[in-house]
Amino acid sequence: MNDEVRTPAPPDRHLLGRWTPWIGVLVFAALCGAIFTASSATRRDREPADLDQAFVYDVARFRVIPPEMIGYRETLHVETGLEHATAVAVGPADEIVAGGDRRVVVFSSEGTRRHAVPLPDLPLCLALSATGDLFVGLRSVVLKGPLAGPLERWLTIPGEKARLTSMAVDRESLFVADAGARVIWHFALDGRRLGRIGDRDPERNVPGFVVPSPYFDVLLASDGLLRIVDPGRHQITAFTRDGDLELSWGQASYALEGFVGCCNPSHLALLPDGRFVTSEKGIARVKVYDANGRFVTAVVGPDGLDTEAGPCDVAVDSTGRILVLDPGRGLIRIFEPKPRRDRDD
Amino acid sequence: MTALTRRDLLRGVALVGVGSAAGAAAVHAHGDDTVWQIDPELCGQCGRCATHCVHPESAVKAVHVHALCGHCDLCTAFFEPDSKLDTGAENQLCPTGAIRRRFIEDPYFSYEIDEQLCIGCAKCVKGCAMFGNGSMFLQIRHDRCNNCNACSIADACPAHAIRRVPASTPYLLKSAH
Ligand code: SF4
Ligand code: SF4
Ligand code: SF4
């Protein structure tokens, strides 16, 4: 037996010694990195632009809507499942129809998903006839078919700059808003082109629409006149089907009663009682105006909507519920009038 | 007052200075032939571009792509929010008076940046992005930029919007398409 007590072998000091300076360098670099990261994070988080208030663009005060000015409350929301939701419409049986990505998704009036209709491209606007025909506007093409699908290519809007933004349909005609040409195209339901509405014509006292960005809405009202948004003039105009300008209302203002920014409203809908629903971009506000254009109430303001992904399309069902597309969250928010006891008016 | 036609303006990108400065970018190129630039799609208009450049006068300026502009009368990059629609200095949004407004034809106007006066504060950029088409945005001007090894604005930018781009294509311009 060997009683020799063996001492453990010493670590290979030679090896360690060889790496020591490098470990030091690494530790130093890691420390520097951590300090740099921490300092830049601190800088980003805490060091604001040291600018005088005159250089700050501040519209915060216009984003606040006093609660007593909001006459609606959200009663339901529907998750569309769309990443890029662009449009909302209502079917003849109050079906909720959402467009986005490369499809149209159809829900019951209570928000139960029924089916989806695939599309060849991003839908930009939707319209539904009383008989259940679905019209989908792509950039310059209108697709048509039953609400259950499939849809067929039906019309091509002339002009290289065509940019469809809205459609309105009745038993005779389809009206297509084209923000590129700044006109409303009028088609018969057999596809014949019947005319264009809104070209500048001083003899008819038509000034021409001002459409700075691709938001240009049209609808058909029960008085038989078209209502067309003239966004650059902050007005809702009423035109006959033959293109005569009958009246207009609306004014630019940051106040709740007016339309904010350079060009608004972006979207328009009609309540069953003849009042109008408007939606504004920039400072997202959905509001109700009476048939003569007098402000009635706000529906929802910027705090209730995520508009990072774009402005909010609006639609109305037969019971007067207001459907607001919340594109940032891919939701359709449904609003109904507050019960009278909750209202301060 | 010279009336420009709308077609003149819509013909294309009219960035006086940026085009001529492109050549100068090569002078300041990094060893790996890159330069710093702002991605206008990422910029959150925080204002630090005006205050964090090593130059006393920032190398960042607002630029304007006319082909993207709506030529609005009520331009939210030109007028202070809720101001009167008259061009008095008190109604103009730019604190240095760097934005020039010119009549084109009823009801259209053109807007140009006077780069000598612009300090790159992004106030107009914010107004344009919020309501308009985003046709005004910030760019690092390579006829002014030192192309520092570490851009001190990039270091402070909360949106991480500033990155190196090839010196041969030194600007990140928005396009009408
Ligand atoms: S620091 Fe960044 S977010 Fe701020 S203005 Fe400059 S590029 Fe835009
Ligand atoms: S508002 Fe600021 S960024 Fe815009 S032009 Fe004036 S100084 Fe330049
Ligand atoms: S690289 Fe230097 S000079 Fe150029 S913008 Fe950044 S801090 Fe200013």
Side-chain angles (χ1 to χ4, degrees), chain B residues 66-81:
Chain B
H66 291 285
L68 271 177
C69 178
H71 305 287
C72 306
D73 185 2
L74 203 171
C75 171
T76 48
F78 182 79
F79 288 108
E80 270 291 351

Side-chain angles (χ1 to χ4, degrees), chain A residues 36 39-41 43-51 53-59 61-63 139 161 182 200 207-214 232-234 252-255 259-264 281-283, chain B residues 6 10 46-52 68-76 79-83 93 95-96 106-108 119 121-124 126-128 130-133 152-160 176:
Chain A
F36 175 78
S39 73
S40 57
R43 229 180 139 182
R44 281 194 190 104
D45 295 346
R46 296 207 193 128
E47 191 179 315
D50 187 18
L51 280 170
Q53 191 59 28
F55 289 88
V56 177
Y57 188 76
D58 183 8
V59 289
R61 64 195 185 281
F62 304 113
R63 294 176 54 88
R139 192 177 181 90
K161 285 188 184 168
R182 290 170 295 182
R200 182 177 158 89
F209 294 114
V210 180
V211 187
S213 52
R233 294 193 175 85
H234 303 84
S253 171
Y254 279 71
F259 298 126
V260 74
C262 62
C263 35
N264 261 319
K281 65 187 174 71
I283 296 176
Chain B
R6 187 156 191 267
L10 296 182
C46 74
R48 288 176 170 104
C49 274
T51 54
H52 283 64
L68 271 177
C69 178
H71 305 287
C72 306
D73 185 2
L74 203 171
C75 171
T76 48
F79 288 108
E80 270 291 351
D82 213 22
S83 66
L93 173 146
T96 65
D106 187 37
Y108 298 106
I119 64 154
C121 74
K123 189 178 181 188
C124 60
K126 197 159 199 164
C128 183
M130 182 170 280
F131 294 103
N133 294 349
S152 68
I153 311 177
D155 177 29
C157 174
H160 303 283

